Amino acid sequence: MKILITGGAGFIGSALIRYLIAETNHEVINLDKLTYAGNLASVEEAASSPRYCFEKADICNRPELERVFQTHQPDAVMHLAAESHVDRSIDGPSAFIETNIIGTYTLLDVVKSYWQALPLERKEGFRFHHISTDEVYGDLPHPSEHRQGKLPMFTEKTAYKPSSPYSASKASSDHLVTAWARTYGLPTLITNCSNNYGPYHFPEKLIPLVILNAINGKPIPVYGLGDQIRDWLYVKDHARALLTVVESGKAGETYNIGGHNEKTNLDVVETICDLLDTLRPQSTPYREQITFVKDRPGHDRRYAIDASKIEKELGWRPQETFQSGIEKTVRWYLNNQEWVEAIQSGEYRQWVEKQYGEQ
Ligand code: NAD
């Protein structure tokens, strides 16, 4: 297949591209606006392949999208481009509304016209795969408040109840995709995944932030009591799941993807501290740098994914445990300081501006 990936310079998109180029024969078109979160260094190992090409484009820009579709004639679209950081969505929601809602709408409309004009055989095989989050479901009861019976999990049938501007914008985009399937017959797939972690994760996100603050002797901030629960999935396991869904998923279906790794934020932070005590020992334990800070407004208490549908119907299962994945992640950040430094120093942004003009 020739797969057009939006947001391929981001954390998950780049993992997907590295995986597709290394493990399959698919061709990849990486379409990305290169916002602050996009980084072409994350796809460097795939970029030399003749099966890879890059298009700098904005999903809100219809003429740019039309040009890319006419030039490359993809067999499938995997849509990951988004504004993705909850804290940023609280401080400034407009970019989230713009990219996640208007951008997804614009892309869907361009895809619809492109798909309708395809010859019958290509039209039937075409897929629009929308990559979304479990945050659209809102939050679940926390063990501290739930006294009876089994703790519930998110299934594909859970009603949407997003809490943050980020999750509300992603929920809107999911509904648009569902509407384009139902109204126009576009062959869509939606996946809702839990929190990802792994290499090339932007330094502001929890796990890289903890690793980097720890090794730089800075306080390690933990929101509230650190008792919020997330279900962590190693990013390469997510990439493998996405490939499984685009190749074998049933058009019109939604699949939840999760790692069976429910952890409190404090558990995650302490696990990283303990790993660093072994991998990069210092005179005091890293746990002493943990600092509790004021909680995020509207902070969801617990997420947990029931991934039994994708496991039973498509045979996907995560290969990493949290312990194995987090150790790989910590080692990667210790060995790839230059990737982080190029972002933090502004050197990478300067390169983007020189290459593509003012952003
Ligand atoms: P990210 O912020 O790391 O990357 C987003 C990418 O999209 C960047 O490369 C950015 O330049 C690009 N982009 C942003 N606006 C664009 C626009 N208007 N046009 C074209 N490109 C644009 O995000 P991520 O963590 O890799 O997440 C990717 C997708 O997966 C998102 O849709 C997110 O909602 C979803 N998701 C993320 C997680 C997670 O834990 N990170 C979990 C579940 C689902």
Side-chain angles (χ1 to χ4, degrees), residues 7 9-13 31-35 37-38 57-60 80-84 99 131-133 166 170 193-196 201 205:
F11 167 51
I12 300 171
L31 183 156
D32 200 295
K33 183 183 174 184
L34 298 183
T35 67
D58 184 341
I59 56 162
C60 300
L80 296 98
E83 288 292 334
S84 70
T99 285
I131 285 76
S132 193
T133 165
Y166 162 65
K170 288 297 292 187
C193 186
S194 59
N195 282 48
N196 283 218
H201 206 178
K205 299 283 176 109

Side-chain angles (χ1 to χ4, degrees), residues 292-303:
F292 293 93
V293 300
K294 190 168 173 283
D295 207 352
R296 167 195 282 167
H299 207 165
D300 285 336
R301 301 270 288 140
R302 174 172 166 257
Y303 304 139

Side-chain angles (χ1 to χ4, degrees), residues 1-3 16 19-20 23-27 51 75-78 124-129 189 191 239-251 255 310 313-314:
M1 277 195 286
K2 201 183 241 196
I3 307 177
L16 175 63
Y19 187 69
L20 288 175
E23 311 277 339
T24 76
N25 290 321
H26 296 312
E27 287 178 49
R51 291 184 287 117
D75 303 304
V77 174
M78 298 177 85
E124 277 173 2
F126 185 85
R127 293 290 179 269
F128 181 88
H129 179 175
L189 297 154
T191 47
R240 205 177 280 119
L242 296 178
L243 175 67
T244 305
V245 170
V246 82
E247 284 183 339
S248 325
K250 194 167 156 225
Y255 299 90
I310 188 173
E313 292 185 13
L314 305 182

Side-chain angles (χ1 to χ4, degrees), residues 73-90:
Q73 303 279 320
D75 303 304
V77 174
M78 298 177 85
H79 175 37
L80 296 98
E83 288 292 334
S84 70
H85 190 48
V86 177
D87 287 339
R88 285 181 187 253
S89 82
I90 295 168

